[in-house]
Amino acid sequence: MINNSAHNNGSLHQQLERIWANLPGWGTLSAVNHTTVGLRFILTGVVFFLIGGILAMLMRTQLALPEQEILHAELYNQIFTMHGTVMMFLFAIPILEGLAIYMIPKMIGARDLVFPRISSFGYYCYLFGGIIILSSLFLGVAPDSGWFMYTPLSSSTYAPGPGSDFWLLGVTFVEISAMAAGVELVVSILRTRTNGMTLGTMPIFCWYILAMALMIVFGFPPLILASILLELERSAGLPFFEVAGGGDPLLWQHLFWLFGHPDVYIIFLPAAGVVSTLLPVFAQRPLVGYRWVVLSIIVMGFISFGLWVHHMFTVGIPQLAQAFFSAASMLVAIPTGIQIFAWLATLWTGKVIFALPMLWIMGFLFIFVAGGLTGVMLALVPFNWQVHDTHFVVAHMHYVLVGGMLFPALAGFYYWLPQATGSMPTKKLGYWGFWLTFVGFNLTFFLMHLTGLIGMPRRVYTYEAGLGWDWLNLLSSIGGFVMAAGIAAIIVDIALHFRFGRKAARNPWNADTLEWAVDKPQSTYNFVSLPTVTSRHPLWEDPKLPDTMAEGKHGLATSDHGRREIFGCDPISGRTREIMHLPTNSWWPLLAAAALAVVCISLLVRTYWPALGATLVALVFFLCWSWENGVHPKAAPIEGTEPNDFPLHSRTQDGPGLWGMVVALLADATLYMSLLFGWFYLWTVASEWQVPEQTPIALVPLIVSGVVLSVAVVFYHWIVSGLKQGRGDRLEGNFWWVTLLGLAHVLLIVWTFASSTLSPTQLAHDAVLTVMLIYVLIHSGLATITTALQALRVRKGYVSKALVYEPIVLRPLWIYTLGIFWLSIAAFILMPLGWGAH
Amino acid sequence: MLAPTHPMQLALGLTVWALWFVVWYSALSLGCALAPPESIGASLSWINWLLIALSLPFIAVLLYWARRSWRASVDAGLTATARFIAQVAAGAHLVAAGAVVFMILPGLVLPPCV
């Protein structure tokens, strides 16, 4: 594997450049490599941040003086809703995903993420979804129910315009992007580290991103489900959140905050990862308490899912349940505290260099600790009741989110700027930017605590003079504009640094991690060769490592095969065990996202036939995309694999596709569990919950379809087990048999559905059953179609008893489909019968 | 049973905590919906006792796992990665047990259904 012919590294570099380059001109839209996609995420996020900031300035202008009429109430409602939506969904999460997409492969010594086309697809979903959401503002029909879209305020009765629809469809579209990044980052961190990088030696940033990605996988599906249900209610009249139909508006709050509170930590964790990465560099010593920090990341990742009800302390939940969530809310301060003490100890024991990024870190420590303290105050139920829906909460939220995310993100931005552009930031303007932002921020939001404590509610467009709020609001508004001047100074600083910035050395901060070993100017493939790493601080251990990597003296320094390749590793030891070949530039992600955008817009304007047509087009694009996989000639030519190489992943039985499938199914299962939660919640809590006297779905054909499905899954499992043991006779025929069984199962469900007496627009009970049936149907259909595709691929020679990778990837989908089918029968049909509910 | 150095140990204790969380909250909600205590404002009703009783096995298992992981982590024959996993897992199990204890404390003084 080691190429010792360093003399030809120039030609090697050129070969790699040719293999990894984006297409020129418009072809760059087909780029899939992580550097390009990550930078696109970040730049797009910055644009959305500026738009969100302008909205904030409009609000502060309106509130600067009492009884102003610059913005009328309806417009103000739209603006505060869009400010929150843009900042949370279009700025904070995507820009951190972009940072992770950009940085993770460089840190773990890889050339790209493991599913590059999914990165690109995620970006386009984000871009199109963001444009759709923002367009509502320019069309004058923006959502106006708050960024949390509480029902019934957002339901069709009180929000009859299309604003809520823009939010629900647009945000769901954007969330596809987050889910894509979540799955991709988990698998990349676990399976594509460079040789020897163990779990215990990988950069601490990777632990943070791993936790963030897993939290996305489990945290976003409840909101995706809630958005689908509310959109179904608004457009088709299914009464999930309407009391009269047996629904309950509080179900929305539960589902929203099941997402919403972990989301705060999804935003905080990567930012804290930036802090844990930068502090050791500027203290010039290893992070104190690496194990403790890893432990606190894991604890935070879990505990943060148990706090959501502290957003709902005033809705009438029993005291004991409130105290339970109050205790959980206080608990989460402990892992945060562990990290803060680890950071302080690192600073205390190091020789701190107060460069510009460190200034932002110090600002973060000050602001975030203050925000954390008010967080503990808000965890106390009686205090929470007192300040609920006041400006105190707004102040707390901004201290946590701006302190906990924006400040570390800007620290990271300045820190990695030379890595991305090759130039150092200019000093003077950067310092001005920091101080203006820091002072402006505290002036705006510290005073807002006081405004809230003396009773000013949030989301009011104006207020009477003489209530004691006047001067506080005026100063807050002045602070807002000072902060805006700080952001402007940063933008000018960045713009000027391209022209006047000092040329950066390869590792200008004397950092310890591999991202500083990439070539200058930056290439699309990161590294000419991939090193063996046995330390948490490879560049401190071996400062010459970047040079030897660039000379091709380490692994994978071959390129004559024409493939994009990275190492595939054992998830624990980091030992290389296969070579992963990655897809090259592709138009499928853009086309698929564009088709989904058409679906989204068609649903917005309630033209359902075009929506159905676009859905089918998107499905075709996805199938074409999946066709160019495995050993398809466009993916991995057989030629060029040397006998002594590690196997290509498409020739193995445990490749990244299987990992991606399992992680995606975890997200899918979370969505299903959310539906199950909704079912039981409405059943036990909704005051007008009604159950039809006769069960509306015929049980016998459903059971028969389940038996057919079971036979299909057992058959498929048998085929795959045989393949793994080297048996693969009549493979194509067997796949066709499974397809036929799957088809029979699907047709039976469709028939059961069509002959049912469901009244989904009358009863929430029937509405939930309808969604359950559609969910099962989609999975069964998908498993059937993809198995048919496998049969065709056998015919083409892409799947055989020597090439078993793909059937193994599909097996968990079949098993999952079987699992949810029988669980649905038990929970949605049999359990109510058993309890005499029908 | 998973070996104390298995990487899934890193998430196991807190996954059990999450399971306990669901069990506790569901039991409280169902208890209050189906059979609220006769004296609605009284603390330490049958629901409180049930919630505490449900929690004890979880605490015991988590503490046992914490001890098991910690003892495994001091084995001199472990690789650095295995020791790292066992140590962090021991901490995670302990935190999970502590979280259960801390979160059931309000149940000792507050009525369940008001």
Side-chain angles (χ1 to χ4, degrees), chain A residues 198-200 207 254 290-291 294-295 298-299 302-303 306 308-309 318-321 323-325 327-328 330-331 536 572 684, chain B residues 7 10-11 14-15 17 20-21 24-25 28 30 81 84-85 87-88 91-92 95 99 102-103 106-107 110-114:
Chain A
T198 67
L199 278 183
W207 276 104
H254 278 291
Y290 179 95
R291 282 177 175 77
V294 171
L295 173 63
I298 295 170
V299 171
F302 276 89
I303 302 269
W308 81 92
V309 170
Q319 287 174 24
L320 180 54
F324 179 74
F325 284 98
M330 288 180 223
L331 268 179
R536 286 179 198 150
I572 304 158
T684 51
Chain B
L10 297 174
L14 286 155
T15 304
W17 170 82
W20 164 81
F21 186 99
W24 192 99
Y25 195 39
L28 174 67
L30 288 173
T81 307
F84 169 80
I85 290 171
Q87 284 178 342
V88 176
V95 169
F102 186 64
M103 290 172 68
L110 288 173
C113 304
V114 289

Side-chain angles (χ1 to χ4, degrees), chain A residues 731-741 787-789 791-792 795:
Chain A
L731 192 56
E732 184 188 346
N734 287 341
F735 278 138
W736 283 123
W737 274 113
V738 175
T739 305
L740 278 176
L741 286 166
T787 303
L789 222 57
L792 292 174
R795 187 176 297 175

